[in-house]
Amino acid sequence: MRVNQICTHSVVTCRRDTSALELAVIMRDRHVGDVIVVDDDGDGGAKPVGIVTDRDLVVRVMAQGVDPGLLKADDLIRDELEIALDSEFAFDAICRMRGKGVRRLPVVDSRCRLIGILAADDVVRFLTEELSAIARIMPRQIQREEAELEPLASDRLAGMQSRSGASFNVIGARPENAAPS
């Protein structure tokens, strides 16, 4: 599965000069925990340059007693932004999230244009669906095995009965000429 198949394509963005106060309002109004900071790529697309999370606002602004109207998004973004390519395998991006200790990766296309975000919630949803699909295999496997083995068991029992002359019943089996109940 590729990143573009599991990421969220609706992304909230801002420019570098957006104030921390405006970021908090955007997060509240849009019901998100992060805003991707973008630059215009000059061709109508947005190139991600950073990410500001609700935790950044709490730890780096509010808890420090800094006036949120004075700080800009550019002041809050880190030097190095981890991103995911839309075409890369989801498990590679998940490993990178784990290795870098990040819960969100902006997702870009081959031209580095923002097309989505891969968040821990997306990963949990993806893994839950995969585990659920695996769990559904087991009952199907049992049904398939029973269907394949039933004719073999009946043939083998009939052969054993005719050779020994003994009579026995298979538990749960219906006599050949008996009407269904």
Side-chain angles (χ1 to χ4, degrees):
M1 179 106 19
R2 304 289 179 168
V3 168
N4 66 350
Q5 295 173 284
I6 68 168
C7 73
T8 299
H9 291 278
S10 174
V11 185
V12 178
T13 65
C14 74
R15 302 289 176 206
R16 290 177 185 259
D17 62 350
T18 305
S19 74
L21 180 59
E22 290 173 293
L23 286 167
V25 171
I26 290 169
M27 289 182 198
R28 181 198 65 204
D29 292 348
R30 300 292 300 274
H31 308 284
V32 296
D34 60 83
V35 176
I36 305 294
V37 183
V38 296
D39 281 342
D40 210 359
D41 74 352
D43 201 19
K47 180 181 185 233
V49 294
I51 185 169
V52 178
T53 67
D54 48 5
R55 182 167 175 77
D56 291 329
L57 293 178
V58 170
V59 173
R60 298 175 67 200
V61 180
M62 303 305 293
Q64 299 296 325
V66 177
D67 181 351
L70 298 179
L71 282 180
K72 304 293 181 199
D74 197 42
D75 300 321
L76 297 171
I77 60 177
R78 311 227 188 268
D79 292 336
E80 202 174 303
L81 177 66
E82 290 296 323
I83 60 168
L85 289 172
D86 62 346
S87 60
E88 78 179 289
F89 287 109
F91 283 109
D92 292 336
I94 292 167
C95 287
R96 194 164 55 263
M97 290 171 80
R98 185 180 62 233
K100 297 291 184 173
V102 295
R103 297 182 50 172
R104 302 165 180 96
L105 292 175
V107 179
V108 298
D109 63 15
S110 61
R111 294 170 45 182
C112 287
R113 288 182 170 180
L114 182 66
I115 61 112
I117 186 165
L118 180 63
D121 290 349
D122 300 317
V123 171
V124 168
R125 187 173 28 261
F126 165 65
L127 294 175
T128 300
E129 290 168 1
E130 292 300 305
L131 289 173
S132 178
I134 290 170
R136 288 190 302 269
I137 291 172
M138 290 178 257
R140 287 190 206 142
Q141 179 182 8
I142 292 169
Q143 289 171 346
R144 189 187 79 238
E145 288 174 356
E146 287 174 346
E148 291 171 353
L149 293 177
E150 189 173 300
L152 294 174
S154 297
D155 292 345
R156 189 169 298 138
L157 288 174
M160 290 171 55
Q161 185 176 14
S162 65
R163 280 191 302 256
S164 69
S167 178
F168 56 88
N169 291 324
V170 178
I171 297 174
R174 204 175 44 225
E176 286 184 28
N177 297 328
S181 51

